[in-house]
Amino acid sequence: MSKNLRSALILLFFTIISVLLVGGKVPYLIFHVLLLFLFLPLAHIAIGLYSLSGSVDVDSGEFFTGEVVEIKYLVQNNSFFLYPILIFSPDFSKDIGGKTVAQIPFSLKGNESFSKSEKSTLNRRGYYKVGGFHLTINDVFGLYSINKYIKSDISILIYPEIIRLSSFRVPSGMQSGELLVADNSYKDKSRISTLREYRDGDSTRSIHWKASSKSEIPVVKEFETRSDSYVEIFLDSLKRNYKNDFDRNMEDKVVESALSIAHYCLSNNISVAINYENNNEYFRIEGREYDQLKAFLENLARYSGNGFHSIADLVDSQSVKIRKGTSTILVTPSLNSTTGAVAIDLAYKGLNPIVISITSRLSGAGLADGFLPGKLRDDNIPVFVIDNKQRVSDVLEVYHD
């Protein structure tokens, strides 16, 4: 209750006492004036609850982490009354933009509209409800303040950032063709599959100079990929491994690592699959062509480390789908003896394991055994250790023998 309304009600109370005990024209006049003073602003605001409407709109298209999104708000006065004191408060999620938008006071004449646009940088991947906004209607005397919420069912899916890898090397002991190798030896360079426009990250050695001379844009050669190129990626989704990941940076780095490798594979027509658990249910995304990337983006945008099973259980559940000679990549926020045992078992079965360990120097999470990466490398198992503040490409493009 506002201070002005409290004062008006106290005055009304004493006026009623005066009317009942004293009587006379003046007390009755004051009584009726006070009733009008209290009732008319309330009726005016009540009409506003029905006559003031609004909407929320977001640009269509795909959204990636780090991009800027513009959200447009509209308030429409569908009556002929003036509303001099309105306050606009958007309900934009802080998880999306990382900031709280200040309240904006404004007024609306009869049949007038108010519009507002907010631009915000998308901080992280995920599926979010944009939300509506609050509209506070105040009377000119400061007696009443009523809040109306304008609902919106608009939601946006924010894709994780694509980290493009120019190379992803593995020990030379693995047969060429079984994994993406820096010199692209898994491709049959005696057979050109097709020509396409140059993309960021393409090797200059793949440029078709004769075709490029006839085009304004460089053209590169696509070679046939050998049939034995397969990559299986397993994400460690066990919930307790993310217990210290309060800002979800390690979870995001797991996604970035897996997506960067998947993007590299699809760009080079290598069969790749990502396996993970979500709320006790196993998921598998697979593809070979670049136009299948969207399925990876949509699934990984929603990824959450909330699983109930270890990475060993996940690998075991998909073992019948893994071809012999496949390169198997384990991405984990907790490199421990269990993960190490899985990697050694995969090596014994000829499934060429690679371990990507996500760590956090700030919280100390990630490496349960600091000597384990060295032990695995001694067994010819590549291990890449990525801090959650590092850029994925700075680590994955570096060769570990």
Side-chain angles (χ1 to χ4, degrees):
M1 183 183 294
S2 69
K3 182 178 179 180
N4 289 352
L5 179 59
R6 189 181 302 111
S7 300
L9 290 176
I10 292 174
L11 181 58
L12 178 64
F13 173 76
F14 284 109
T15 302
I16 293 174
I17 296 298
S18 177
V19 167
L20 294 175
L21 297 181
V22 179
K25 293 181 179 180
V26 173
Y28 270 102
L29 177 62
I30 295 175
F31 173 69
H32 286 98
V33 169
L34 281 175
L35 285 181
L36 289 175
F37 179 72
L38 291 169
F39 175 74
L40 288 181
L42 182 61
H44 181 236
I45 289 181
I47 293 172
L49 286 175
Y50 293 96
S51 63
L52 294 173
S53 60
S55 62
V56 181
D57 188 31
V58 179
D59 293 336
S60 59
E62 297 178 340
F63 300 98
F64 286 85
T65 303
E67 292 184 343
V68 175
V69 63
E70 182 178 20
I71 300 181
K72 302 171 185 176
Y73 302 93
L74 176 70
V75 180
Q76 177 68 44
N77 182 5
N78 299 305
S79 72
F80 55 84
F81 291 109
L82 166 69
Y83 286 92
I85 307 176
L86 300 171
I87 299 176
F88 166 79
S89 305
D91 194 23
F92 190 57
S93 174
K94 283 188 66 177
D95 292 334
I96 303 175
K99 67 176 183 179
T100 301
V101 181
Q103 294 182 340
I104 301 173
F106 67 101
S107 62
L108 280 179
K109 296 179 181 178
N111 298 308
E112 194 177 47
S113 63
F114 164 84
S115 61
K116 173 68 179 175
S117 294
E118 279 293 334
K119 290 185 178 181
S120 186
T121 301
L122 304 175
N123 283 336
R124 69 181 315 273
R125 64 180 176 83
Y127 179 78
Y128 299 96
K129 290 282 188 182
V130 173
F133 59 91
H134 296 271
L135 183 64
T136 305
I137 310 171
N138 300 284
D139 72 283
V140 71
F141 301 113
L143 298 176
Y144 306 104
S145 180
I146 298 180
N147 184 68
K148 178 177 183 177
Y149 184 70
I150 308 296
K151 294 176 59 177
S152 171
D153 296 326
I154 294 178
S155 59
I156 58 175
L157 181 64
I158 304 173
Y159 294 152
E161 181 184 3
I162 299 175
I163 308 297
R164 290 172 169 80
L165 302 179
S166 60
S167 63
F168 182 49
R169 305 186 181 188
V170 293
S172 57
M174 292 187 183
Q175 298 176 11
S176 62
E178 290 182 346
L179 187 63
L180 39 166
V181 190
D183 62 0
N184 288 330
S185 61
Y186 58 89
K187 289 185 175 181
D188 186 349
K189 295 190 177 181
S190 65
R191 298 182 180 180
I192 298 177
S193 172
T194 185
L195 298 177
R196 62 168 173 81
E197 292 183 355
Y198 178 86
R199 291 197 292 257
D200 289 342
D202 286 336
S203 172
T204 54
R205 289 177 294 180
S206 298
I207 294 178
H208 194 295
W209 296 107
K210 186 176 181 180
S212 297
S213 65
K214 301 176 183 179
S215 172
E216 296 180 358
I217 302 174
V219 176
V220 298
K221 296 172 282 188
E222 284 279 11
F223 301 102
E224 291 185 2
T225 307
R226 298 180 183 178
S227 60
D228 56 353
S229 299
Y230 297 99
V231 177
E232 289 279 347
I233 303 174
F234 291 90
L235 307 186
D236 187 349
S237 306
L238 188 60
K239 188 174 183 178
R240 68 167 177 261
N241 290 341
Y242 294 89
K243 64 181 179 181
N244 295 321
D245 187 26
F246 303 112
D247 52 9
R248 298 176 68 187
N249 281 339
M250 293 180 70
E251 182 185 283
D252 287 342
K253 199 61 65 175
V254 166
V255 169
E256 286 179 14
S257 302
L259 181 60
S260 65
I261 297 172
H263 175 267
Y264 189 94
C265 291
L266 296 174
S267 297
N268 293 284
N269 296 326
I270 297 174
S271 296
V272 60
I274 295 181
N275 305 272
Y276 63 94
E277 180 199 354
N278 183 27
N279 279 330
N280 212 23
E281 183 178 356
Y282 290 147
F283 290 85
R284 178 182 173 85
I285 326 157
E286 53 188 324
R288 184 187 179 109
E289 306 294 334
Y290 188 80
D291 58 8
Q292 295 174 298
L293 178 64
K294 189 172 183 179
F296 288 81
L297 290 170
E298 290 179 347
N299 281 272
L300 292 177
R302 293 180 168 91
Y303 175 80
S304 178
N306 57 8
F308 297 93
H309 301 281
S310 69
I311 196 168
D313 295 332
L314 178 60
V315 172
D316 184 63
S317 71
Q318 302 296 319
S319 59
V320 295
K321 299 178 182 178
I322 306 177
R323 304 182 184 213
K324 190 170 183 179
T326 292
S327 295
T328 310
I329 302 174
L330 309 177
V331 187
T332 177
S334 179
L335 182 53
N336 50 32
S337 57
T338 300
T339 311
V342 173
I344 292 172
D345 183 60
L346 289 170
Y348 178 77
K349 294 176 180 178
L351 297 178
N352 306 319
I354 297 173
V355 177
I356 298 177
S357 173
I358 308 301
T359 65
S360 173
R361 291 175 187 168
L362 188 63
S363 66
L367 281 176
D369 183 350
F371 297 100
L372 193 53
K375 294 176 183 177
L376 292 174
R377 288 171 186 151
D378 289 342
D379 288 329
N380 295 319
I381 298 175
V383 179
F384 297 87
V385 180
I386 305 175
D387 184 74
N388 66 347
K389 299 299 182 182
Q390 284 182 291
R391 190 160 179 84
V392 166
S393 56
D394 291 342
V395 180
L396 295 184
E397 291 178 349
V398 177
Y399 177 60
H400 290 267
D401 201 351

